[in-house]
């Protein structure tokens, strides 16, 4: 009984000391119904809640914070939520606020139920209707990212949320209510949300496969959607993955960053042709561009496309013996079509081998101090031959490929002769064996004489 009475007296004393609600009574109910009912005004705003006069309660000596500025807000929330606020301080959201841009976002922008947020109404993330729940994140981000005016001021696309809403990712989250669907924060990180141009961003081209791989490499998750879990691993081993820093396409380049759709068979030529213009042109003009292939699952017929030979994610180069195996899927052994494929594959493989040798010779000559400006230009021109062969191969014309190979061989022989003359092989000098022979004979003779002259016991 005495303990209960003490608690009641302490609570009454605390209420008597908190004079903030005499002027700010409208904030009392939102705080009590928020995630922070245990906090007093002074816990966030400092000041002196026991003072009777406003000037004293708002004392600078008590480090009073009125309406917090962005960095003050980071300090206030960071006292308890340090990890989250440290990440937020790195994000473009606070950059906008520091510049006075309305497109900036504070803690309250995402953690309240209303689009006109107040820090006094922060919602507990564990509540079912919390704006940060996976089912609600899309709508929460859309408060700003669906506003064309705000996005224009920030230099961002205004249709990102509209595209996401049409995607399979959103379908899984919003319609099927599946927790293994992807929301905004699954790819963008909830608090940092770095721009994709930032190498540290989860959506930077060099990190996209790892980000997508969180779900798309998960066998259980992919099986539930009828998808393969090995596609990311195939991409990671592809020429595209090895040259991402040089502008090769990432996951988003082919699938779209927000729509995330699977391109149709009839779209592959145009899609790959955005980067591989020559091969796409030759493919469309050649026999494969006129041929059709019927998808056994959908029954849809489409022109033979890039994926049939290269694979969508592995993007393999058709060099021997790959060409025979690949062409043999459609063409019977002994046919002229298969023979042409083998010839083109052999020409490509031999040309790459010759280029590797020329590059090694050039590197050796440069290390010996030779100035090879013209040689570098000649080799760069020869490097172009492999790209020309790559384009012509898609038209399946072995005659055109042999023409390029013939020209390449003539120029390559001339350059190789020049480089070999500058990098002769070092051979042991002819007199070295004779010298070693005399040396050993002399040692043997001295040993024999020492044995003969040694005193007898």
């Amino acid at each position: 009984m005495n303990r209960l009475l003490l608690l009641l007296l302490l609570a009454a004393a605390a209420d008597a000391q908190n004079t903030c609600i005499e002027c700010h009574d409208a904030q009392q109910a939102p705080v009590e119904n928020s995630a922070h009912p245990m906090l007093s005004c002074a816990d966030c705003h400092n000041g002196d809640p026991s003072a009777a006069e406003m000037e004293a309660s708002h004392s600078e000596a008590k480090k009073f914070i009125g309406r917090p500025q962005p960095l003050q807000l980071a300090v206030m929330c960071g006292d308890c939520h340090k990890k989250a606020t440290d990440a937020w301080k790195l994000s473009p959201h606070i950059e906008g606020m520091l510049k006075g841009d309305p497109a900036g976002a504070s803690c309250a922008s995402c953690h309240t139920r209303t689009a006109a947020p107040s820090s006094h109404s922060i919602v507990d993330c564990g509540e079912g209707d919390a704006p940060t729940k996976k089912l609600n994140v899309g709508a929460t981000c859309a408060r700003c990212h669906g506003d064309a005016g705000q996005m224009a001021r920030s230099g961002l696309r205004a249709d990102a949320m509209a595209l996401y809403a049409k995607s399979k990712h959103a379908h899984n989250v919003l319609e099927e209510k599946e927790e293994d669907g992807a929301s905004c924060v699954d790819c963008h990180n909830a608090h940092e949300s770095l721009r994709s141009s930032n190498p540290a961003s989860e959506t930077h081209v060099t990190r996209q496969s790892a980000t997508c791989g969180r779900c798309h490499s998960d066998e259980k998750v992919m099986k539930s959607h009828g998808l393969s879990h090995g596609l990311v691993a195939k991409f990671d081993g592809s020429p595209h993955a090895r040259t991402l820093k040089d502008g090769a396409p990432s996951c988003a380049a082919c699938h779209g960053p927000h729509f995330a759709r699977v391109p149709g068979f009839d779209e592959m030529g145009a899609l790959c042709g955005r980067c591989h213009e020559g091969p796409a042109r030759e493919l469309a003009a050649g026999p494969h561009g006129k041929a059709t292939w019927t998808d056994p699952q959908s029954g849809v017929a489409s022109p033979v496309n890039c994926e049939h030979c290269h694979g969508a994610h592995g993007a393999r180069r058709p060099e021997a013996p790959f060409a025979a195996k690949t062409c043999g899927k459609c063409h019977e052994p002994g046919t002229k079509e298969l023979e042409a494929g083998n010839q083109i594959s052999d020409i490509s493989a031999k040309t790459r081998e010759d280029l590797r040798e020329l590059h090694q010779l050039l590197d050796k000559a440069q290390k010996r101090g030779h100035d090879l400006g013209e040689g570098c230009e000649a080799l760069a021109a020869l490097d172009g031959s492999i790209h020309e062969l790559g384009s012509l191969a898609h038209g399946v014309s072995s005659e055109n490929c042999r023409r390029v190979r013939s020209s390449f061989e003539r120029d390559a022989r001339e350059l190789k002769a020049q480089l070999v003359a500058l990098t002769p092989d070092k051979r042991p000098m002819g007199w070295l064996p004779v010298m070693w022979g005399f040396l050993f004979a002399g040692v043997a003779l001295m040993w024999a004489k020492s044995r003969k002259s040694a005193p007898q016991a």
Side-chain angles (χ1 to χ4, degrees):
M1 183 68 180
N2 291 336
R3 185 177 179 182
L4 178 59
L5 180 61
L6 178 60
L7 290 174
L8 291 173
L9 289 173
L10 288 173
D15 287 339
Q17 289 177 355
N18 187 6
T19 60
C20 302
I21 58 174
E22 293 181 10
C23 298
H24 302 286
D25 60 316
Q27 309 304 331
Q28 186 175 14
V31 171
E32 289 178 350
N33 294 318
S34 74
H36 302 135
M38 74 299 292
L39 297 181
S40 70
C41 307
D43 286 327
C44 296
H45 293 276
N46 300 323
D48 185 358
S50 65
E53 300 294 331
M54 183 180 73
E55 184 175 349
S57 63
H58 292 182
S59 171
E60 291 185 7
K62 297 288 186 178
K63 299 181 180 180
F64 173 72
I65 299 174
R67 187 180 298 276
Q69 296 300 309
L71 290 180
Q72 289 177 314
L73 183 65
V75 172
M76 292 166 64
C77 298
D79 285 342
C80 298
H81 306 285
K82 187 178 187 305
K83 184 177 179 180
T85 50
D86 283 349
W88 175 62
K89 285 188 285 187
L90 300 174
S91 76
H93 289 151
I94 195 172
E95 287 178 14
M97 295 182 69
L98 292 172
K99 296 174 183 177
D101 188 341
S106 70
C107 311
S109 301
C110 303
H111 288 278
T112 58
R113 293 187 179 92
T114 173
S118 165
S119 297
H120 298 99
S121 304
I122 296 290
V123 179
D124 191 317
C125 293
E127 293 191 22
D129 63 343
T132 52
K133 280 282 191 179
K134 179 169 282 193
L135 297 178
N136 304 324
V137 164
T140 301
C141 295
R143 295 173 185 174
C144 296
H145 288 271
D147 186 311
Q150 290 196 48
M151 292 301 98
R153 287 191 294 273
S154 300
L156 299 174
R157 296 181 58 157
D159 61 348
M161 298 308 303
L163 291 171
Y164 168 74
K166 296 178 182 178
S167 72
K168 182 64 175 176
H169 289 157
H171 174 74
N172 292 340
V173 174
L174 301 177
E175 295 185 27
E176 296 181 7
K177 308 260 189 284
E178 293 185 6
E179 284 301 308
D180 59 3
S183 68
C184 311
V185 296
D186 287 307
C187 300
H188 290 282
N189 191 302
H191 293 99
E192 283 186 359
S193 299
L194 300 176
R195 292 184 176 90
S196 60
S197 58
N198 188 326
S201 170
E202 303 288 333
T203 56
H204 188 263
V205 291
T206 59
R207 301 187 66 184
Q208 282 180 24
S209 67
T211 300
C212 298
R214 292 172 191 163
C215 296
H216 287 271
S217 294
D218 188 312
E219 184 175 4
K220 182 179 179 181
V221 172
M222 290 299 98
K223 186 176 181 179
S224 69
H225 294 288
L227 299 173
S228 169
H229 68 282
L231 300 182
V232 173
K234 286 184 178 180
F235 173 80
D236 286 340
S238 73
H240 288 159
R242 292 193 293 271
T243 53
L244 282 171
K245 292 181 179 179
D246 299 325
S250 60
C251 309
C254 296
H255 293 279
H258 296 98
F259 200 14
R261 62 185 292 269
V262 179
F265 284 111
D266 56 339
E267 301 174 277
M268 292 294 291
L271 178 63
C272 299
R274 295 186 304 190
C275 297
H276 303 282
E277 183 179 354
R281 181 181 60 251
E282 293 292 334
L283 176 67
H288 286 153
K290 300 177 180 63
T292 58
W293 177 85
T294 302
D295 181 4
Q297 294 183 344
S298 65
V300 175
S302 64
V304 174
N305 61 64
C306 316
E307 183 179 358
H308 294 131
C309 297
H310 295 279
H313 295 89
R316 300 158 296 184
R317 290 192 175 99
E319 295 180 4
F322 174 78
K325 295 178 181 178
T326 302
C327 300
K329 293 178 181 178
C330 298
H331 301 288
E332 296 292 334
T335 60
K336 64 178 183 179
E337 291 85 3
L338 187 57
E339 181 60 27
N342 285 326
Q343 289 177 8
I344 293 170
S345 177
D346 291 341
I347 289 172
S348 175
K350 186 64 172 69
T351 302
R352 288 185 183 279
E353 181 182 337
D354 291 342
L355 282 171
R356 279 192 289 270
E357 182 183 9
L358 289 172
H359 276 281
Q360 291 171 356
L361 288 171
L362 181 66
D363 183 58
K364 186 186 295 186
Q366 288 177 326
K367 287 180 178 178
R368 293 189 177 188
H370 295 292
D371 184 7
L372 295 169
E374 292 184 1
C376 291
E377 292 179 7
L379 186 52
L382 288 171
D383 283 336
S385 298
I386 199 65
H387 297 296
E388 186 177 3
L389 283 171
S391 293
L392 293 173
H394 292 80
V396 199
S397 172
S398 55
E399 181 180 350
N400 287 338
C401 291
R402 284 196 295 271
R403 173 179 52 78
V404 173
R405 172 65 187 176
S406 177
S407 175
F408 170 88
E409 285 181 326
R410 182 183 64 250
D411 296 337
R413 277 196 303 269
E414 183 179 341
L415 178 59
K416 182 178 179 179
Q418 296 174 6
L419 295 175
V420 168
L422 297 173
T423 56
D425 290 335
K426 290 185 177 180
R427 299 183 182 277
M429 299 180 69
W431 52 268
L432 282 177
V434 178
M435 185 192 74
W436 282 108
F438 275 112
L439 180 61
F440 280 114
V443 171
L445 182 61
M446 291 176 64
W447 179 80
K449 290 178 67 176
S450 66
R451 293 278 297 172
K452 185 180 291 187
S453 61
Q456 299 295 321

